Amino acid sequence: MARARVKLARILNESKRRATLKKRRLALIKSLQTLCVLCKVKACMIVCDGLNDQSTDNVMVWPSRKEAKTMLANFNSVSEQKQNKRMVTHEKFLENMLVNEKSKLQALKKKNDQMEIEEILHKLHSAPTSIDLESGKLSQAYFYIEELIKMIEEKEISS
C-alpha cells in the first residue's frame, strides 16, 4: 500500500517534530552511507536543528566532526575552478535538457518525414494517378529513393 502524501508544513507539536526530525535524519544518514558505499565516494553531512533550551546550536555531524572537518578542508583547498568543474547549476541543467529535447525533436521530425514519404510511395505504387503531389514532397521522395538506392548498392558491394 502506498503512503499518503506528506503535507509540507511546519509540525506544530514539539514532540512530533522532534520525532520526525530524528527519523528523517536517520534515513538521510542511511542514504548517504549507501551512496558512499555504492559509488565509493567520500561525503559528510551537517544538520543544524535550531536552538535548544540552553541557546546553543544543536548540530549533528556525520560521520564524525573530525572527518567532516578534514573533508571540508580538502574541498576548500581545491581551486574554485576545480570545485565548480562538475557542479551543475539549474540553468546549465535546463540548457542541457533543452539541447537533448531539441535533438529528440529533430530525430522525430526526420522519422515523421520518412514515414510520410514511404506512405506517398506506397500510394504511388498502388494507384499512381490518384495522388496530388506538391513539388516539395516530390523532391523529398526523390532524395529518399536515391538514399535507398545508395544503401542497397553499398550492401551489394560489402557482400
Side-chain angles (χ1 to χ4, degrees), residues 24 32 34 44 46-47 85 91-93 95 99 106-107 113 119 127-129 131 133 149:
R24 299 249 173 153
L32 195 57
T34 304
C44 66
I46 302 170
V47 179
K85 185 177 181 181
E91 186 176 329
K92 284 183 184 177
F93 175 76
E95 285 174 1
V99 168
Q106 289 294 342
D113 289 344
E119 183 182 359
T129 58
I131 293 181
L133 287 179
I149 291 171

Side-chain angles (χ1 to χ4, degrees), residues 31-43:
S31 296
L32 195 57
Q33 284 175 327
T34 304
L35 180 69
C36 290
V37 170
L38 293 177
C39 300
K40 200 173 182 178
V41 295
K42 290 185 176 183

Side-chain angles (χ1 to χ4, degrees), residues 13-92:
N13 185 333
E14 181 71 26
S15 62
K16 282 186 180 180
R17 185 170 58 240
R18 291 265 177 215
T20 302
L21 174 65
K22 185 176 180 181
K23 284 186 218 173
R24 299 249 173 153
R25 189 170 41 201
L26 290 174
L28 194 56
I29 289 171
K30 186 176 179 182
S31 296
L32 195 57
Q33 284 175 327
T34 304
L35 180 69
C36 290
V37 170
L38 293 177
C39 300
K40 200 173 182 178
V41 295
K42 290 185 176 183
C44 66
M45 178 175 69
I46 302 170
V47 179
C48 302
D49 64 356
L51 299 173
N52 62 13
D53 295 337
Q54 290 84 25
S55 297
T56 59
D57 283 333
N58 210 4
V59 178
M60 190 278 312
V61 180
W62 181 87
S64 69
R65 286 183 185 263
K66 183 180 177 184
E67 290 180 61
K69 281 183 181 179
T70 305
M71 284 185 224
L72 287 171
N74 288 342
F75 180 75
N76 288 330
S77 69
V78 174
S79 69
E80 190 172 328
Q81 184 180 12
K82 285 186 178 181
Q83 286 178 8
N84 296 334
K85 185 177 181 181
R86 291 189 180 145
M87 285 189 191
V88 178
T89 63
H90 189 69
E91 186 176 329
K92 284 183 184 177

Side-chain angles (χ1 to χ4, degrees), residues 138-154:
L138 191 59
S139 62
Q140 283 181 340
Y142 173 76
F143 288 121
Y144 180 70
I145 292 170
E146 288 291 321
E147 285 181 33
L148 289 177
I149 291 171
K150 285 179 186 176
M151 285 176 31
I152 292 170
E153 289 173 348
E154 288 174 4

Side-chain angles (χ1 to χ4, degrees), residues 92-143:
K92 284 183 184 177
F93 175 76
L94 291 176
E95 285 174 1
N96 289 340
M97 288 287 291
L98 186 62
V99 168
N100 290 340
E101 293 301 317
K102 281 183 179 180
S103 65
K104 286 180 188 177
L105 179 63
Q106 289 294 342
L108 287 173
K109 282 182 179 180
K110 184 176 180 180
K111 187 175 182 180
N112 188 36
D113 289 344
Q114 182 180 351
M115 289 173 67
E116 283 181 2
I117 292 169
E118 286 177 359
E119 183 182 359
I120 290 170
L121 292 175
H122 286 293
K123 286 180 181 178
L124 279 172
H125 182 63
S126 62
T129 58
S130 65
I131 293 181
D132 271 347
L133 287 179
E134 46 189 75
S135 62
K137 293 289 182 189
L138 191 59
S139 62
Q140 283 181 340
Y142 173 76
F143 288 121

